[in-house]
Amino acid sequence: MRISPRRRRLGLTVERDRSVTLHAPEGCAVGRAEAFVRSSEAWIAAKTRLSDERRPLHPVRTLRDGEIHRYLGRDYRLLVVDNRSDPGPASNGAGGPAPVRLVAGRLCLDVSVAADPHLARDAVADWYCRVGERWMRGRLQPWTARMDVPEPSVRVRDLSHRWGSYRAGTTGHGVISLHWATFQLPIRLVDYVVAHELAHVRVSGHGADYWRLLGRALPECRRLKTELDELGRKVWMGDLVT
């Protein structure tokens, strides 16, 4: 159960892993919460069936030379390189070349980490985090203006089964977190995830008020949600061939 002082009503969410989360306002009596869950059993069963139908088909990767990876909906071929012979820009924050770089239409992975699939996966995920946060610097402000909300901070990280989340801040400027895998999606779906989380600046949960707010800023939000539900099942989330 998640308790929020911003909520006024009880709500339920069926997560991608089929777990059920109860969202409750502060001070909600246990008996009221239990009665709400019991009265929602049919809704939970229907959502769980839908979750089964949309069970992720996330691919696995070997992170070997020639493999295809996506960034903002476009395909890039992985190329294992030796950074010692082609150091490129020092962009890892430690004075040396980053182990993953996008160069001339190729996603270049340094041979020093390519030998270990787990190190390579972490390096690729870190690359998505870095380029995702950089890309978002110019993308967030127009959406906050469009939705008339304060501009939050943005973090890109691993969010397990969630594309994004919003956490309110004490000064009115909260934090939006985005899964690094989000940046494999086409731009229109990244924008949908961003707008989806920005709507939570004003409305908690996913009730009618929430969808009205999101629909005013993004009239095609329902269509984009359906597209994300389908395409998102096929996005690489970091799983490796075992």
Side-chain angles (χ1 to χ4, degrees):
M1 182 168 70
R2 294 179 181 171
I3 298 174
S4 171
R6 301 169 61 239
R7 292 193 67 90
R8 295 294 179 266
R9 295 179 294 180
L10 288 161
L12 289 168
T13 302
V14 177
E15 309 295 348
R16 292 185 189 179
D17 61 359
R18 301 179 65 196
S19 64
V20 179
T21 301
L22 173 65
H23 304 272
E26 277 188 336
C28 178
V30 173
R32 177 189 169 198
E34 291 176 343
F36 178 77
V37 173
R38 285 195 298 270
S39 69
S40 303
E41 287 180 354
W43 180 89
I44 293 171
K47 286 292 185 180
T48 301
R49 285 195 299 271
L50 183 60
S51 177
D52 286 341
E53 293 171 3
R54 294 175 173 172
R55 184 168 294 173
L57 303 172
H58 300 305
V60 295
R61 294 282 186 253
T62 61
L63 297 175
R64 293 177 182 170
D65 201 272
E67 194 173 59
I68 299 297
H69 289 260
R70 287 187 170 181
Y71 173 54
L72 296 179
R74 297 185 61 181
D75 291 346
Y76 295 92
R77 194 172 297 278
L78 190 70
L79 180 66
V80 176
V81 299
D82 187 346
N83 278 338
R84 293 173 299 178
S85 60
D86 180 23
S91 55
N92 68 348
V100 178
R101 298 175 291 154
L102 188 60
V103 181
R106 296 289 186 270
L107 191 63
C108 298
L109 173 67
D110 187 66
V111 67
S112 64
V113 297
D116 185 326
H118 296 282
L119 284 178
R121 177 193 57 198
D122 292 345
V124 172
D126 181 67
W127 178 81
Y128 277 113
C129 290
R130 288 186 287 109
V131 298
E133 288 190 358
R134 185 165 60 243
W135 187 81
M136 283 302 303
R137 289 172 195 161
R139 201 73 180 181
L140 189 61
Q141 193 279 329
W143 279 106
T144 57
R146 187 172 182 175
M147 301 183 73
D148 191 26
V149 296
E151 184 171 341
S153 301
V154 176
R155 295 177 184 169
V156 181
R157 57 192 180 92
D158 193 318
L159 293 176
S160 186
H161 297 286
R162 301 174 70 92
W163 294 114
S165 67
Y166 172 75
R167 187 180 74 244
T170 57
T171 61
H173 293 269
V175 177
I176 280 182
S177 294
L178 301 173
H179 198 300
W180 58 262
T182 302
F183 294 92
Q184 298 172 58
L185 296 167
I187 290 174
R188 64 183 177 278
L189 295 184
V190 181
D191 280 343
Y192 168 75
V193 173
V194 171
H196 182 104
E197 298 307 331
L198 285 175
H200 286 308
V201 176
R202 295 205 178 277
V203 183
S204 298
H206 297 94
D209 291 343
Y210 171 87
W211 287 105
R212 276 194 294 271
L213 172 62
L214 183 57
R216 285 197 295 269
L218 193 62
E220 64 273 31
C221 61
R222 294 285 189 176
R223 176 181 62 79
L224 292 172
K225 180 183 184 302
T226 299
E227 186 179 357
L228 178 62
D229 287 342
E230 180 58 32
L231 184 59
R233 302 167 66 207
K234 304 170 186 177
V235 168
W236 181 58
M237 307 294 284
D239 293 327
L240 299 172
V241 173
T242 56

